[in-house]
């Protein structure tokens, strides 16, 4: 009730003040709202919990089996044989997972073990393989051993039949082991083949560079830096040979001049009738006699021209031959000494010829002596030979001088060729060593002595299902039902704007409350309230019994 004697203006002012700065809704207000709408909250909670329990117990049981696979390290120490299969095991495991979980591989497993019989009748093949892929798990074991590298992993599979699930898990583990061995062997073989191809190409390039270097050395023979000392030695020998040839040519030309002097005809002399002609007075010419004497004298002159002395056995022998020939000639004149070169003799006084004397030509001296002519031809041949030899030696000297001049240029050119050749040779040696190591590593993988996967704990049929987690599902459903009931109660209360406290009257209307009259409950009201409480209790007990029975049946079946 409101006081009628109160000033209306003051009431309106107080109401406006209350509306402007009225207190916000307190937690007690919300609690009174929930108590007022408790049947909404309880009904929604029971309905959602029952629906969640029914759904969870209709879900099929799924069993999971796992196989523990150990990463077995290489048997042979890496200091002896280094493996060509590198990379992290985790990355290789991811690659193997993509290969094994491909549609083709999974379809083979489905067909061989006759999996998903019902699903294959209604679903397409892609959906069936996607369903199986979602039920396969590959998990790395992080707490196995103390190393940072991957040492073990688990392969799991989930399904409705425990024995079939274990069989599929073991089959997947076998595929992982086989594919790992195959992949490592293929990688090692591929590395070996690649190195073989590279080695062949490098060998061809090295042979081409060797041929190029060989052709360059043959083309510029004698112009190489390492041949400089030999070229200088040969050049000195050639110069000495040229000097010897010059000296020999001078000696032969001197001998030729002596022979030519001996072939000059004798001068004409005057003799009397019945008087034996005398020599022309030139020392060294012989009297008219046999040609053998002339040949012996020419041989003697040649020996003396060569520098032989009178005591030399050859000179003494030839001189004795001349004396014997002259002694055998009729009317031989007195012997006169023979000198190497003809010289003019001192004039001999000759008595004046009588009136009866007459000019008579001297007998003809044979200047075409075949012996002298043959010697002259020999000397001409020797002169020509020495001159040809001089020309040849001079050309060789010029050639070696040009080679010595070209050595700096050839040194720069051959340095580039040798550098490329050495680089290719080192590269070829490295490839050869790598190929030998790769071949050994390939044999290591073929004989399964390298790193491999081995089954440490095979999959066994599961004794209890791994999913669904019905307790968590039911708990989640009950919590969701409670939250949904509270939310609906609050929304309904806020939309209806019901008044639960006297202060709300003042806040909404601005009229102060003079007195609060409590609720007067009759007998009928109390009876209706007891009936509602009884029904709520019975419904709660029934729901609890149903949930307990369902849980008991589920665990009994499992």
């Amino acid at each position: 009730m409101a006081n009628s004697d109160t000033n209306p203006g003051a009431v309106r002012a107080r109401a406006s003040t209350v509306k402007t700065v009225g207190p916000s809704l307190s937690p007690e207000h919300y609690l009174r709202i929930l108590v007022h709408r408790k049947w909404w909250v309880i009904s929604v909670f029971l309905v959602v919990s029952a629906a969640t329990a029914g759904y969870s117990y209709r879900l099929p049981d799924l069993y999971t089996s796992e196989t523990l696979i150990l990463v077995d390290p290489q048997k042979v120490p890496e200091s002896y044989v280094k493996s060509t299969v590198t990379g992290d095991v985790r990355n290789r495991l991811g690659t193997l997972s993509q290969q094994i979980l491909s549609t083709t591989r999974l379809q083979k497993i489905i067909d061989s073990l006759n999996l998903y019989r019902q699903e294959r009748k209604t679903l397409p093949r892609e959906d069936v393989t996607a369903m199986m892929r979602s039920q396969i798990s590959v998990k790395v074991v992080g707490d196995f051993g103390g190393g940072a590298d991957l040492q073990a992993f688990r392969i799991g599979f989930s399904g409705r039949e425990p024995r079939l699930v274990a069989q599929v898990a073991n089959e997947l583990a076998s595929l992982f082991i086989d594919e790992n061995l195959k992949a490592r062997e293929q990688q090692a073989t591929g590395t070996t083949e690649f190195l073989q191809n590279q080695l062949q190409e490098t060998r061809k390039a090295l042979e081409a560079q060797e041929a190029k270097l060989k052709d360059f050395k043959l083309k510029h023979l004698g112009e190489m830096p390492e041949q400089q000392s030999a070229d200088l030695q040969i050049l000195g020998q050639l110069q000495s040979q040229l000097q010897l040839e010059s000296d020999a040519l001078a000696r032969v030309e001197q001998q030729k001049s002596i022979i030519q002097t001996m072939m000059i005809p004798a001068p004409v002399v005057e003799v009397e009738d019945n008087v034996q002609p005398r020599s022309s007075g030139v020392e060294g010419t012989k009297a008219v006699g046999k040609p053998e004497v002339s040949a012996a004298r020419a041989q003697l002159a040649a020996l003396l021209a060569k520098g032989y002395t009178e005591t030399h056995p050859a000179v003494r022998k030839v001189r004795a031959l001349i004396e014997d020939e002259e002694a055998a000639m009729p009317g031989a004149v007195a012997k006169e000494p023979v000198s190497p070169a003809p010289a003019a003799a001192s004039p001999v006084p000759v008595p004046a010829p009588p009136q009866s004397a007459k000019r008579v030509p001297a007998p003809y001296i044979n200047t075409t002596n075949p012996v002298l002519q043959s010697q002259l031809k020999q000397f001409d041949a020797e002169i020509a030979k020495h001159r040809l030899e001089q020309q040849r030696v001079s050309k060789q000297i010029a050639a070696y001088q040009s080679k010595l001049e070209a050595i700096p240029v050839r040194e720069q050119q051959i340095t580039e060729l040798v550098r490329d050749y050495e680089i290719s040779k080192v590269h070829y040696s490295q490839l050869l060593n790598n190929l030998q190591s790769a071949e050994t590593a390939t044999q290591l993988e073929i004989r399964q002595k390298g790193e491999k996967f081995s089954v440490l704990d095979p999959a066994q049929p599961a004794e209890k299902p791994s999913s669904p987690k019905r307790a968590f599902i039911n708990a989640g459903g009950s919590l969701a039902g409670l939250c949904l009931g509270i939310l609906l109660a609050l929304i309904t209360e806020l939309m209806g704007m019901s008044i639960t406290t006297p202060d709300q009257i003042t806040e909404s209307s601005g009229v102060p409350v003079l007195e609060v009259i409590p609720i007067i409950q009759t007998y009928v009201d109390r009876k209706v309230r007891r009936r509602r409480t009884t029904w709520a209790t019975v419904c709660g007990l029934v729901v609890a019994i149903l949930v307990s029975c369902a849980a008991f049946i589920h665990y009994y079946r499992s």
Side-chain angles (χ1 to χ4, degrees), residues 385-554:
K385 182 180 70 173
H386 287 302
R387 287 177 178 175
L388 289 175
E389 187 68 18
Q390 279 184 337
Q391 293 178 1
R392 185 184 67 82
V393 174
S394 299
K395 289 181 180 180
Q396 289 184 355
I397 291 174
Y400 276 94
Q401 287 177 348
S402 64
K403 289 180 180 180
L404 290 172
E405 293 174 357
I407 284 178
V409 179
R410 303 294 179 247
E411 183 177 5
Q412 183 177 2
Q413 295 175 351
I414 199 171
T415 300
E416 297 177 358
L417 294 176
V418 171
R419 182 185 61 226
D420 297 339
Y421 172 75
E422 292 296 332
I423 292 175
S424 299
K425 187 177 180 180
V426 171
H427 182 53
Y428 178 80
S429 300
Q430 292 177 352
L431 286 176
L432 185 60
N433 294 332
N434 293 336
L435 177 60
Q436 293 175 353
S437 301
E439 290 177 348
T440 306
T442 302
Q443 293 298 322
L444 187 73
E445 297 297 336
I446 292 175
R447 297 180 182 181
Q448 298 183 6
K449 297 298 182 180
E451 183 183 87
K452 62 180 180 179
F453 296 160
S454 59
V455 176
L456 186 62
D457 187 11
Q460 300 294 333
E463 296 181 356
K464 62 179 181 179
S466 60
S467 63
K469 304 293 183 180
R470 290 183 173 85
F472 293 101
I473 294 175
N474 294 335
S478 300
L479 182 61
L482 180 61
C483 294
L484 183 60
I486 293 172
L487 183 61
L488 289 176
L490 293 175
I491 292 174
T492 304
E493 184 67 23
L494 293 176
M495 290 179 63
M497 291 301 293
S498 61
I499 296 174
T500 59
T501 62
D503 295 335
Q504 293 179 353
I505 298 175
T506 303
E507 292 176 1
S508 61
S509 62
V511 179
V513 177
L514 299 179
E515 189 64 33
V516 177
I517 301 174
I519 298 174
I520 301 174
Q521 293 183 351
T522 63
Y523 174 76
V524 176
D525 294 334
R526 290 192 294 270
K527 186 178 181 180
V528 170
R529 186 172 182 177
R530 285 195 299 268
R531 186 183 297 116
R532 290 178 179 177
T533 304
T534 303
W535 277 107
T537 304
V538 171
C539 290
L541 290 175
V542 170
V543 171
I545 291 171
L546 292 176
V547 171
S548 300
C549 291
F552 177 75
I553 292 172
H554 167 69

Side-chain angles (χ1 to χ4, degrees), residues 110-122:
I110 291 172
D111 295 338
S112 61
L113 299 178
N114 194 18
L115 303 176
Y116 305 102
R117 291 183 293 272
Q118 298 297 330
E119 288 80 357
R120 282 190 294 174
K121 296 178 181 179
T122 58

Side-chain angles (χ1 to χ4, degrees), residues 63-67 137 155-158 162-163 165-167 169 459-462:
Y63 298 87
T64 301
S65 295
E66 291 182 343
T67 301
S137 63
I155 299 175
F157 180 71
S158 300
R163 296 186 180 276
V165 167
Q167 187 177 358
Q460 300 294 333

Side-chain angles (χ1 to χ4, degrees), residues 269-273 353-361:
V269 296
E270 291 180 356
V271 296
E272 296 179 357
D273 292 337
Q355 294 294 331
S356 61
K358 62 179 178 180
R359 189 178 183 88
V360 180

